[in-house]
Amino acid sequence: MTLHDLINNTDIQGRRSFLTRMAGSMLGVGAAATFGPEVVARALAQEPAPPLVLGRATAKNVIYLFLQGGMSHLDTLDPKPGKETQGPVQALRTRADGVLLGQYFPKLAEQMDKVCIVSSMSSKQGAHPQAQYLMRTSYELRGTIQHPSLGAWCQRLAGRNNKMLPGHVMIGGGAEMPSAGFFPPEFQALPIGSAEDGLQNAALPRGVDNERFERRLARLRQLDTAFAEKHGQRSVQAYDKAYAEAVRLMRSSDLVAFDIDLEPKTMHQAYGETPFGAGCLLARRLVEHGVRYVEVMSDGWDTHADNFDRLGDLTPSVDHGLTALIADLDARGLLRETLVVLATEFGRTPDIDGDQGRNHYPKAFSCLLAGGGVRGGQRYGSTDAEGREVATDPVSIQDFNATIAHAVGLPLDYVVTSPSGRPFKVADKGSPITSIFS
Amino acid sequence: MVRNVLASVLLGCFLLAGLTAQTATVNPQHPARPVESVRPLKSVKEDAARLDTLLDRGLQRRSQTALPITDDATFLRRAYLTIIGRIPTLAETESFLADQNSDKRDVLCDLLLDSPGHTSHASNFWFDQLRVKSRVQDVSGEPFAHYVRSSIQQDKPYDQFVREMLVATGAGHQQGNGATGMLLRDKNMPHDAMANALRLFLGTRLECAQCHNHPFDIWTQKQFFEMAAFFGGLRYRDDDLLPNLVGLRTELAGLDERTRQRALQLLRRNNQGLEGSGSGVERLPRDYKYEDLKPGTAVLANTIFGADVKLKYPEQKKGEPQRPRRDQRAQPAIAGIDSRAALADWMTSKKNPQFAKVISNRMWARTFGAGVVEPLDEWKKDTEPVHPELMVQLEKLMLDLDFDLRQFERVLVHTKLFQRETPAGDCAADTVFTFQGPMLRRMTAEQTWDSLLTLVFADIDERLRPPDARAKPVYESFAEFAKSDAKDLIAMAQNDQPMRAQQQQRQREEMRQQMAADTELQKKAQPLLREMNQARRNGDQKQVAAIAEELQRMGVPLGQRASRGREGDLLRASDLQQPAPPNHLLRQFGQSSRETMDSASTAATVPQVMTLLNGFLDQRVLEGQSALRASLETAENGERRVRVAFLTTLNREPTTAETQEWRRAIAIDGDGVVKDLVWVLCNSNEFRFVR
Amino acid sequence: MHNRLRSVLVLAGILLGLAATSTAQDKKPGTDPIDFQKQVWPIIEKTCLKCHSTATTGPDGKVKKPKGGVVLDSKQGITASKKGKALIVAKKPADSLIYQAISLPADDEDRMPPAKEGDPLPKEKQELISKWIEQGANFGSWTGKAKEGTDGGAEKGGDKGGEKGKGDKPEEKPNDKPKPGEKPKVDPLVRLRQGVKPLAPAALAAFNDGPFQVQSVGEDSPLLAVSCAGRTDEVTDAAVNTLLPLAEHITKLDLGRTGVGDAACAVIAKMPRLTTLDLRQSQVGDHGVAALAACHELRSLNLFGTKTGDYAAATLSSLKNLEELYVWQTDVSAAAVVRLREAVPSVRVVLAAELPEPMAETPGNGRRRPGK
């Protein structure tokens, strides 16, 4: 039972008393303190009153592909053929009239009719940790607070599609990516280190049957209850929740969603037998089984030197993975309700330096959206002739995130208060780009 | 009095025996000198008492009281985990609990500080801080890991440690040059390297000022570049042609793309290193937008606080463009004026306002769970320590000890604070932690892994490898490389070809064997898979096994794979690949990916829970050959078995109630219940949280 | 003893009375004029604008009207009247509707702000407003809240998000204008909800324990979206029968990966407002699909991975509103697709996945390396 279930399924009175018990731990009050009405009110204020009135969602699910390091945009999504800033890269015609891609994405060019490129992204953050954080949470990196990621907001405001599986899975990436932030820990993404290995240890070990497992769990609960009486910290309670979640997951028949080995070889080959390709394939399976928000991370895009050579190494896995994902989702009828996002924290400099490299460039860069109600075959916003400045329709990182939130139907003005009393919204001040939706 | 001394000596010997090998060889990670030989315990306890007094005063001012001293069992577990990063073994537990001496806690702390486990545990800490990786962009980082391990083992003073890393030059893979690893970690990004160094060593976050004046702190972009100027002219010599490789490029020009690529790859991998003592000059970026200077202007090195640094700049020839660039092939090298050494002098000086403060605060946080100043790496002008006098004393202590980190840690673990109970709950929102007792913390990923290994091996510390075990092959390969000429290198590149092609072929075959055939087969398998999952949900193992066989006969690989034994080597975390592979137990429990500082996590996640529920414990501890299993099997009766289980995992005696309950269960359900008992204990919060 | 006490009290009373009158004298209008923009406006902005702002169109196209027709973000609005009663009567707070409303007792159901929005204004703020009205309700140079770049309404709390002093962004990006020659698109869900009475919460609550997840399609619409929330094993034809009471309201139905078959389609055929139907990887066959011809509003039908064929494709040609049909991994042939397209020109049929060719091999191209 997650907090969300409890809130949704309990009557008002039951909810109040439950929250009274929980309020203390959520707000960091010691076990010995009494819970006055003010404390309860604060706790209730933090939870969305069910049912939350959501906007009309065009996307049930989100697959968020993140390229860490800052993918060079002029070589990929926003080419400037004929200009010096283009360097040695050729531009490709695509299936969408008037939209060109860099030579590194030939496969994607064939699916361009389903894709919308946002070419006018612009931000002020040029350092990796800060820019990645902003992209992920819509807020600035601070030493004092961890903001929740977009996936965590999705969980909190829109809940899960499939109650038996986690609502938010992150494939690849490390622990440094903020996930639940200051939200309660059950909004943490489920991390899958490697898509090829999937979810490990989900089956009972040899020699342990259900009955024995239940007995073990019962005794474990006893021991933990005794411990909890002496230690009421939030971090301790988080483990109780994690155990409940794990057991439920073990019992779910949808567990097969995590196993990409069940896919035929042709599928593996189409997506590309690379970590990123496998991640995309796993993402498709998860969304098929009702997981709402899946992220796939790819690292190594920080091409300060040998930009062109390294892009040649890096891009095939993304070209194949992304294209296969879009085509596969579409053919299964899932693309209409799944928003596929390809994002990076900033672009790279139009001027090529002596190392054949490009450096950080947040002033103008590109990201990509497909499915989930977004009209394909278009480019939103533009940069100038050489790709130095945004020329039309600037889109801030918060605007971009607001667009994703809008697609999922999340209320953009809904305020959640952190435990320290500060108000936050899903995309801060961002405004969604409504014109790209059909 | 004599009896006490004798008893302590005996206890010491016994514990020493438990902690070190019975044979004559010295453990390769054993600290260089015993702590007592550097400073007598008496002085340590005086320093510790001083800290306690200041802490008490600070608590009084907040109308709070310190928590009582905790019991032996709790202290024992805490001491082992905090000082050497693992739980004590059964033998260690029993001997400590049985010991009657009044000073056994003091003796224990010093013994632990003197043990090889300390080196291992401290290595993990520094690997995290320095973001040590075994592979940094396709190049080995093991020399750096070796450098860190051996610096710890040798008790290298911290200021010397930092200085070495700031000024190191030369080939990174050459034996003895491991210190270059710190700056090589941010290869080709000298600005990021500077920002990280300031953050780690001086607790000052300047990253924002790389692109604009810091929005929330006082630093300007110009100041950032003035600091960056200390690394001016820093060169990463990947493609430098060493004398032995003259003519390589001409040779390569005529070859096929693959060989060329491979040869360049070999060159880059082996050749990495640092050159340049620092020019003291850096250019402002092209988009510098502030009024005070033009973009592209050269700025001279200047410190952001503390003492000024005077550098001797060479005479500038008129008209000569001094453009410090990464690629030095096109231009003569920029004259180095030892600005890096000047930076190191300034940074590690006892007079630097931040250096000693930051490290003493980090050591405090490492021992007690939070810093006297939080956050640990963002000190500002208006930062207030939770106990100001205590902070002052900590800094003074660090300076008095000449930056000996192990002695500093020694003082901390001899305080009364280190013996107090942990608080019962979180502190209220918007308040700071005041250290009425140490903070309750979940074990770090490394402590978890190392403790689980302690259940498997009673002598886990004896399995610690020499600090250079992983770096040796790298040194050897570099030595080979340094002797080869261009033709040798090309030969190496070419010889690699068939091997790689073979490898890929083999891989493809394996994959073909592993994958299901095609859609047809999958369609047939679908209903069976459903049935199997239903059976699994019902806990009907027999049915599951039957269907699994059927599926295998059809040629369909099964859903949930049992753990592939991905733990690899059963060595302590500090001896493994850094960081562990993404699906390793260490990563599941939150080991940092080493991409950014402070990115380790102790949060609860489902994969780590499932590992404990269904994976490691059952496979390695309960079923395989493990020390715990052996102890259980040699126990004389049910009661002893219950006690062994508790003493080995939770390092305490079971309560009367617990003993009764489990004995009853064993009586009803048989000996298998003992395994369940161990399973329960290792899955409990009491196991994973350090009190 | 008593006498002494009484005299002390009397003295205290006199002193207090003097103090009271003297402060009352201090309150004489004109002594310290209240600045509307600096003192009164912040109160209104913080407490009242949530419900009493000029009408705006939200990013989702919905128009938000000011409650009760009372607009408080401009001078014009504040000095207007509601049903003949003036919001402000200069110099007379007691006659001013605004002051009457904010000074009602806390448990009065007409008091402003309303109980569900928060506590009544603190006494000092009520006094301030009263004083301001008494002084003549002067706005100074203030006429109304600016749309962008407002500095006066200081945003308290919340993170700045890095854009200091930039002011509020407009609520929406410019909407797409229909291309010339195209009919303006009317959202079917807007049309279909006309005249539909929302179901009682009890009717929906009955499904809480079942395998179905029943929700509004959003924006408080009475139309419903039904899916299986992960309990696909429990959803069979019989389970679909339980949806009959919702037949008039269901517009989206997701039965993907369940065990439903042709029998369920008979029930689905009774849903006149169904626009989206997902039957992927279910047991539905040709006969079931034939029954769906009754769902005239159907726009999207997903038959991926089902045992349907050309017969089913043919029956769909009567669905003139159909925009999308997914028939990959079914027995539907290309020829049948062509015929369907002739009958329903606007339909997009997806017969197969356009997957890319396998990756080419070059060294270091991101392919899985051993040990990685």
Side-chain angles (χ1 to χ4, degrees):
Chain A
M1 269 271 208
T2 62
L3 191 65
H4 193 260
D5 292 338
L6 221 49
I7 301 282
N8 276 333
N9 298 336
T10 322
D11 58 287
I12 298 281
Q13 199 50 43
R15 198 165 82 228
R16 252 180 210 276
S17 67
F18 173 77
L19 280 168
T20 311
R21 276 181 283 124
M22 284 306 296
S25 54
M26 280 183 348
L27 302 174
V29 178
T34 51
F35 306 125
E38 166 221 344
V39 166
V40 173
R42 269 161 74 194
L44 284 176
Q46 285 187 27
E47 296 308 313
L52 187 65
V53 175
L54 299 178
R56 186 119 58 77
T58 49
K60 239 165 113 172
N61 318 296
V62 177
I63 297 181
Y64 191 102
L65 309 172
F66 192 67
L67 306 179
Q68 290 172 273
M71 175 179 74
S72 166
H73 58 298
L74 293 176
D75 302 316
T76 55
L77 300 177
D78 191 14
K80 304 290 179 188
K83 301 289 179 195
E84 202 184 317
T85 51
Q86 185 64 89
V89 174
Q90 305 294 318
L92 294 172
R93 282 240 170 78
T94 70
R95 212 190 236 183
D97 287 335
V99 180
L100 298 176
L101 282 180
Q103 71 183 59
Y104 296 105
F105 282 117
K107 301 288 177 236
L108 186 60
E110 292 162 22
Q111 292 291 327
M112 225 16 243
D113 57 320
K114 303 188 180 66
V115 170
C116 167
I117 298 179
V118 179
S119 308
S120 50
M121 302 283 304
S122 182
S123 114
K124 290 192 163 63
Q125 288 298 347
H128 293 298
Q130 283 78 0
Q132 286 179 12
Y133 191 90
L134 181 62
M135 200 70 190
R136 208 166 161 64
T137 65
S138 304
Y139 284 91
E140 305 242 325
L141 178 61
R142 288 277 169 278
T144 51
I145 188 168
Q146 280 266 62
H147 302 87
S149 66
L150 192 49
W153 277 101
C154 233
Q155 289 318 295
R156 182 156 182 167
L157 299 184
R160 303 181 190 192
N161 288 333
N162 181 339
K163 301 263 191 288
M164 308 304 281
L165 292 182
H168 181 191
V169 176
M170 181 154 77
I171 305 169
E176 74 277 7
M177 289 290 177
S179 187
F182 64 76
F183 282 175
E186 70 254 29
F187 294 109
Q188 182 98 276
L190 178 81
I192 300 275
S194 135
E196 290 121 330
D197 288 325
L199 191 63
Q200 306 241 273
N201 298 319
L204 286 174
R206 225 165 4 123
V208 179
D209 61 15
N210 231 37
E211 207 191 304
R212 186 167 170 198
F213 185 64
E214 290 301 323
R215 280 203 309 264
R216 284 179 166 186
L217 282 180
R219 294 205 190 279
L220 179 60
R221 243 171 256 136
Q222 274 179 320
L223 194 57
D224 278 344
T225 310
F227 186 80
E229 273 160 21
K230 286 180 271 171
H231 297 281
Q233 279 86 342
R234 256 168 303 172
S235 44
V236 176
Q237 280 152 6
Y239 268 92
D240 297 332
K241 293 202 192 80
Y243 270 83
E245 173 97 22
V247 171
R248 189 177 47 214
L249 186 56
M250 280 169 63
R251 296 191 178 129
S252 158
S253 57
D254 282 334
L255 204 50
V256 288
F258 287 91
D259 193 348
I260 61 173
D261 275 357
L262 295 173
E263 293 286 332
K265 182 168 104 162
T266 45
M267 271 301 167
H268 284 266
Q269 285 179 331
Y271 276 82
E273 288 158 313
T274 64
F276 185 78
C280 291
L281 180 54
L282 178 57
R284 187 268 284 158
R285 279 185 72 80
L286 291 175
V287 159
E288 245 188 331
H289 285 80
V291 176
R292 188 189 275 283
Y293 201 100
V294 184
E295 299 183 76
V296 185
M297 315 293 258
S298 167
D299 203 351
W301 293 83
D302 193 22
T303 50
H304 283 281
D306 292 323
N307 174 65
F308 305 101
D309 284 343
R310 286 177 61 192
L311 280 178
D313 287 348
L314 291 164
T315 45
S317 57
V318 176
D319 191 26
H320 274 77
L322 174 61
T323 310
L325 180 64
I326 292 175
D328 196 9
L329 285 171
D330 185 37
R332 287 166 201 264
L334 294 173
L335 188 63
R336 53 189 298 284
E337 289 201 318
T338 304
L339 181 65
V340 178
V341 182
L342 181 78
T344 188
E345 67 255 40
F346 39 65
R348 303 202 82 85
T349 51
D351 293 311
I352 303 163
D353 74 11
D355 274 340
Q356 288 294 294
R358 297 189 194 264
N359 303 314
H360 303 179
Y361 200 75
K363 226 200 293 197
F365 64 105
S366 304
C367 292
L368 181 157
L369 294 169
V374 170
R375 206 173 49 245
Q378 59 167 333
R379 185 186 289 280
Y380 180 85
S382 63
T383 48
D384 61 21
E386 289 197 312
R388 294 186 190 281
E389 305 272 347
V390 167
T392 58
D393 298 320
V395 176
S396 72
I397 287 178
Q398 288 98 337
D399 292 335
F400 188 72
N401 289 341
T403 309
I404 300 172
H406 171 76
V408 182
L410 305 183
L412 294 171
D413 52 3
Y414 185 84
V415 172
V416 168
T417 323
S418 73
S420 57
R422 292 160 63 188
F424 295 100
K425 297 187 282 189
V426 58
D428 193 20
K429 298 192 182 68
S431 313
I433 317 165
T434 49
S435 58
I436 57 172
F437 292 92
S438 52
Chain B
M1 162 71 169
V2 174
R3 238 192 46 247
N4 276 344
V5 170
L6 203 61
S8 307
V9 168
L10 277 175
L11 170 68
C13 286
F14 192 64
L15 282 170
L16 200 64
L19 289 169
T20 65
Q22 301 270 358
T23 64
T25 53
V26 179
N27 187 300
Q29 295 202 22
H30 202 284
R33 318 159 283 180
V35 281
E36 184 69 19
S37 69
V38 178
R39 270 188 111 209
L41 182 61
K42 184 160 161 292
S43 317
V44 173
K45 290 192 75 84
E46 278 166 13
D47 286 331
R50 218 164 287 143
L51 295 178
D52 280 317
T53 313
L54 290 173
L55 177 58
D56 282 338
R57 216 184 287 167
L59 288 173
Q60 251 176 34
R61 265 194 219 112
R62 291 166 177 269
S63 313
Q64 290 178 338
T65 47
L67 290 164
I69 302 288
T70 191
D71 60 272
D72 267 356
T74 310
F75 177 80
L76 168 72
R77 198 165 201 264
R78 177 195 297 173
Y80 268 78
L81 282 166
T82 310
I83 304 176
I84 67 169
R86 64 164 173 85
I87 53 175
T89 63
L90 176 62
E92 290 164 346
T93 306
E94 290 195 290
S95 79
F96 182 80
L97 292 178
D99 186 0
Q100 297 297 323
N101 287 295
S102 54
D103 63 348
K104 66 177 178 178
R105 294 189 183 192
D106 289 343
V107 172
L108 178 65
C109 285
D110 276 1
L111 261 158
L112 292 174
L113 284 163
D114 278 335
S115 76
H118 178 266
T119 309
S120 170
H121 185 46
S123 297
N124 289 324
F125 176 74
W126 286 104
F127 286 164
D128 236 15
Q129 301 292 302
L130 294 163
R131 297 168 296 138
V132 170
K133 287 176 82 168
S134 287
R135 272 208 109 57
V136 181
Q137 280 178 26
D138 217 32
V139 181
S140 174
E142 291 296 353
F144 189 36
H146 170 211
Y147 171 75
V148 172
R149 276 190 210 103
S150 61
S151 300
I152 293 168
Q153 191 235 342
Q154 291 159 17
D155 265 347
K156 186 176 294 177
Y158 177 69
D159 55 344
Q160 191 188 333
F161 181 53
V162 173
R163 153 177 281 278
E164 283 176 5
M165 290 191 290
L166 287 174
V167 304
T169 53
H173 286 179
Q174 186 168 35
Q175 183 148 19
N177 270 354
T180 51
M182 184 182 91
L183 292 181
L184 283 173
R185 178 66 182 84
D186 291 315
K187 198 167 78 161
N188 291 330
M189 297 185 290
H191 295 168
D192 284 359
M194 173 54 69
N196 284 324
L198 290 173
R199 179 178 170 187
L200 177 55
F201 303 127
L202 299 182
T204 305
R205 297 195 67 159
L206 230 62
E207 304 95 82
C208 298
Q210 248 177 312
C211 299
H212 48 68
N213 290 352
H214 201 298
F216 301 101
D217 206 355
I218 57 177
W219 315 116
T220 63
Q221 191 177 15
K222 174 163 168 260
Q223 280 178 306
F224 180 86
F225 280 86
E226 287 175 337
M227 282 304 301
F230 282 104
F231 284 162
L234 185 65
R235 279 194 313 114
Y236 305 90
R237 32 177 264 183
D238 303 354
D239 291 340
D240 271 9
L241 285 186
L242 305 175
N244 51 314
L245 293 171
V246 160
L248 178 65
R249 293 204 188 267
T250 14
E251 298 265 356
L252 283 180
L255 298 171
D256 61 289
E257 180 65 20
R258 247 193 210 173
T259 314
R260 216 176 68 84
Q261 292 250 15
R262 179 75 189 129
L264 286 173
Q265 204 175 41
L266 278 173
L267 178 66
R268 238 179 285 140
R269 277 201 188 155
N270 283 291
N271 197 23
Q272 75 155 4
L274 295 171
E275 294 300 341
S277 68
S279 64
V281 185
E282 181 60 272
R283 285 197 180 265
L284 292 176
R286 249 186 274 220
D287 60 351
Y288 186 78
K289 56 179 184 276
Y290 300 107
E291 311 265 297
D292 49 351
L293 290 165
K294 281 216 178 68
T297 319
V299 293
L300 300 181
N302 202 6
T303 55
I304 45 175
F305 49 66
D308 278 333
V309 164
K310 297 255 177 316
L311 294 168
K312 277 188 77 177
Y313 290 91
E315 299 256 335
Q316 268 268 43
K317 289 189 199 123
K318 284 231 180 70
E320 179 181 300
Q322 240 217 356
R323 272 208 119 232
R325 295 171 105 197
R326 281 194 287 279
D327 173 17
Q328 292 303 303
R329 267 177 272 156
Q331 289 177 359
I334 292 190
I337 57 169
D338 288 324
S339 63
R340 287 170 68 192
L343 172 74
D345 286 339
W346 167 78
M347 194 177 280
T348 63
S349 153
K350 284 196 173 181
K351 297 215 186 67
N352 186 301
Q354 284 294 105
F355 190 62
K357 277 198 189 80
V358 169
I359 182 61
S360 50
N361 191 43
R362 285 192 191 280
M363 293 297 290
W364 177 277
R366 180 172 173 256
T367 309
F368 297 116
V372 177
V373 167
E374 283 281 352
L376 303 176
D377 57 6
E378 203 172 351
W379 296 59
K380 297 193 186 158
K381 280 242 151 39
D382 56 357
T383 297
E384 292 228 1
V386 60
H387 299 299
E389 291 179 330
L390 177 63
M391 189 66 238
V392 168
Q393 181 61 24
L394 285 171
E395 184 186 6
K396 180 170 185 302
L397 180 63
M398 180 62 76
L399 294 171
D400 287 344
L401 292 174
D402 289 321
F403 295 104
D404 185 335
L405 294 183
R406 199 157 61 108
Q407 287 293 339
F408 187 86
E409 186 182 349
R410 190 179 179 207
V411 172
L412 297 185
V413 299
H414 279 284
T415 57
K416 284 246 159 359
L417 175 60
F418 191 65
Q419 297 191 41
R420 298 196 188 280
E421 290 177 0
T422 48
D426 292 315
C427 52
D430 271 346
T431 62
V432 282
F433 189 75
T434 52
F435 303 100
Q436 292 169 282
M439 195 186 257
L440 180 82
R441 291 178 279 177
R442 199 208 78 179
M443 287 195 221
T444 62
E446 290 89 350
Q447 283 171 323
T448 308
W449 169 253
D450 289 351
S451 297
L452 287 172
L453 284 187
T454 309
L455 300 179
V456 178
F457 300 112
D459 60 347
I460 183 62
D461 286 347
E462 292 322 301
R463 292 161 184 264
L464 284 170
R465 302 173 78 199
D468 65 347
R470 294 180 71 96
K472 247 196 172 148
V474 179
Y475 298 145
E476 281 163 10
S477 146
F478 178 78
E480 275 290 315
F481 168 79
K483 282 189 290 190
S484 349
D485 62 14
K487 290 213 195 319
D488 292 331
L489 186 69
I490 292 173
M492 271 192 268
Q494 282 170 330
N495 281 338
D496 228 37
Q497 283 316 310
M499 214 168 58
R500 282 197 61 169
Q502 262 175 39
Q503 222 169 33
Q504 277 165 348
Q505 180 81 314
R506 227 181 305 133
Q507 265 186 306
R508 248 174 284 141
E509 267 312 305
E510 273 176 42
M511 279 192 280
R512 212 167 287 151
Q513 281 164 20
Q514 275 180 30
M515 305 280 179
D518 56 31
T519 337
E520 272 303 314
L521 186 59
Q522 202 199 0
K523 267 203 186 141
K524 265 189 240 156
Q526 214 47 308
L528 278 175
L529 280 167
R530 254 185 210 214
E531 256 192 79
M532 186 170 79
N533 287 318
Q534 187 67 30
R536 197 177 269 138
R537 269 205 303 163
N538 296 338
D540 187 351
Q541 296 289 76
K542 280 212 195 95
Q543 178 74 326
V544 171
I547 301 179
E549 258 189 70
E550 174 71 42
L551 284 169
Q552 268 186 324
R553 238 178 290 135
M554 285 170 59
V556 179
L558 286 176
Q560 305 314 312
R561 257 174 271 161
S563 170
R564 277 191 199 166
R566 280 268 173 177
E567 303 90 3
D569 298 325
L570 293 181
L571 297 171
R572 288 196 66 165
S574 64
D575 272 355
L576 294 174
Q577 177 188 331
Q578 301 298 327
N583 42 348
H584 193 281
L585 188 148
L586 276 167
R587 297 293 297 276
Q588 287 176 342
F589 276 83
Q591 186 189 46
S592 159
S593 65
R594 308 287 168 77
E595 293 303 328
T596 56
M597 264 186 261
D598 287 343
S599 61
S601 151
T602 53
T605 63
V606 168
Q608 73 186 231
V609 166
M610 297 219 282
T611 295
L612 284 181
L613 287 176
N614 302 319
F616 189 88
L617 283 175
D618 281 277
Q619 283 156 17
R620 295 287 186 175
V621 178
L622 299 177
E623 293 306 327
Q625 276 190 334
S626 73
L628 176 54
R629 195 155 168 229
S631 317
L632 288 171
E633 275 165 11
T634 54
E636 44 293 358
N637 55 31
E639 175 176 343
R640 171 72 187 157
R641 270 198 272 276
V642 174
R643 285 184 66 223
V644 164
F646 272 83
L647 285 167
T648 320
T649 57
L650 302 184
N651 310 114
R652 66 167 172 87
E653 296 277 2
T655 63
T656 343
E658 285 166 340
T659 317
Q660 267 178 6
E661 194 192 307
W662 282 98
R663 285 186 64 194
R664 208 180 313 137
I666 295 175
I668 299 175
D669 291 316
D671 277 343
V673 172
V674 181
K675 291 207 179 124
D676 289 348
L677 169 58
V678 173
W679 184 95
V680 166
L681 294 173
C682 292
N683 268 283
S684 70
N685 281 328
E686 194 178 338
F687 183 86
R688 69 175 66 89
F689 281 90
V690 185
R691 291 194 289 177
Chain C
M1 190 51 183
H2 272 303
N3 278 337
R4 212 196 186 111
L5 185 61
R6 209 186 303 148
S7 21
V8 167
L9 283 174
V10 168
L11 190 60
I14 294 171
L15 282 173
L16 276 174
L18 279 174
T21 49
S22 67
T23 52
Q25 277 172 359
D26 284 343
K27 281 191 177 135
K28 243 191 275 192
T31 323
D32 42 351
I34 296 177
D35 181 340
F36 174 85
Q37 182 159 11
K38 287 215 183 84
Q39 296 174 271
V40 183
W41 171 239
I43 303 174
I44 297 181
E45 194 184 36
K46 191 167 160 214
T47 323
C48 318
L49 288 197
K50 187 173 168 200
C51 304
H52 295 295
S53 291
T54 314
T56 49
T57 313
D60 49 11
K62 215 175 150 200
V63 171
K64 190 172 165 192
K65 295 205 191 98
K67 287 249 159 54
V70 173
V71 174
L72 295 177
D73 61 356
S74 67
K75 180 173 167 186
Q76 194 184 34
I78 297 177
T79 52
S81 297
K82 180 181 168 168
K83 292 194 181 144
K85 296 199 76 182
L87 288 174
I88 305 265
V89 177
K91 307 232 173 104
K92 293 193 185 146
D95 292 348
S96 307
L97 187 56
I98 280 192
Y99 184 72
Q100 287 171 3
I102 61 173
S103 58
L104 284 171
D107 53 353
D108 190 317
E109 60 181 5
D110 285 339
R111 67 128 165 124
M112 285 293 136
K116 70 171 162 76
E117 291 300 324
D119 290 341
L121 281 176
K123 274 276 171 289
E124 319 82 67
K125 294 197 176 156
Q126 294 183 23
E127 299 277 28
L128 186 75
I129 292 181
S130 162
K131 205 159 102 170
W132 171 71
I133 298 177
E134 249 184 78
Q135 289 181 357
N138 253 308
F139 286 87
S141 55
W142 189 87
T143 46
K145 176 185 172 190
K147 270 282 148 77
E148 263 195 59
T150 313
D151 251 342
E155 247 176 303
K156 293 197 173 59
D159 232 312
K160 287 271 153 77
E163 309 278 79
K164 246 185 173 175
K166 201 156 183 225
D168 286 342
K169 278 212 149 160
E171 283 280 292
E172 53 177 0
K173 300 274 175 192
N175 269 316
D176 195 34
K177 298 186 197 57
K179 294 200 186 80
E182 244 181 51
K183 267 193 297 198
K185 272 197 177 157
V186 177
D187 191 343
L189 292 190
V190 168
R191 177 174 52 82
L192 286 171
R193 70 184 277 181
Q194 304 298 329
V196 178
K197 280 183 96 161
L199 286 171
L204 299 181
F207 289 91
N208 277 346
D209 291 325
F212 291 116
Q213 183 162 268
V214 179
Q215 291 170 325
S216 157
V217 291
E219 294 169 342
D220 268 337
S221 171
L223 299 176
L224 300 174
V226 177
S227 60
C228 295
R231 291 157 72 170
T232 46
D233 291 0
E234 298 172 39
V235 176
T236 55
D237 291 340
V240 175
N241 274 330
T242 63
L243 293 175
L244 266 171
L246 309 177
E248 293 285 325
H249 291 77
I250 296 180
T251 185
K252 288 191 181 179
L253 182 56
D254 178 357
L255 295 172
R257 296 183 308 115
T258 61
V260 303
D262 293 347
C265 293
V267 176
I268 298 174
K270 301 202 177 103
M271 298 178 186
R273 293 186 176 82
L274 194 63
T275 54
T276 307
L277 179 59
D278 189 344
L279 291 171
R280 66 187 155 101
Q281 293 167 311
S282 67
Q283 303 304 314
V284 168
D286 283 344
H287 292 286
V289 175
L292 296 176
C295 298
H296 295 294
E297 295 288 347
L298 204 56
R299 272 148 180 81
S300 170
L301 176 60
N302 189 346
L303 294 173
F304 163 74
T306 56
K307 290 191 189 64
T308 51
D310 290 356
Y311 179 70
T315 59
L316 293 173
S317 48
S318 63
L319 293 176
K320 298 305 178 189
N321 282 318
L322 197 62
E323 291 168 1
E324 299 171 338
L325 176 66
Y326 299 93
V327 286
W328 186 28
Q329 293 185 18
T330 63
D331 294 325
V332 175
S333 71
V337 171
V338 169
R339 286 192 290 273
L340 180 58
R341 281 211 185 99
E342 282 167 15
V344 186
S346 59
V347 73
R348 175 179 177 245
V349 183
V350 180
L351 186 55
E354 297 168 328
L355 296 171
E357 294 286 311
M359 271 168 81
E361 272 197 50
T362 47
N365 69 349
R367 281 191 81 107
R368 217 179 351 197
R369 292 189 200 138
K372 247 208 173 155

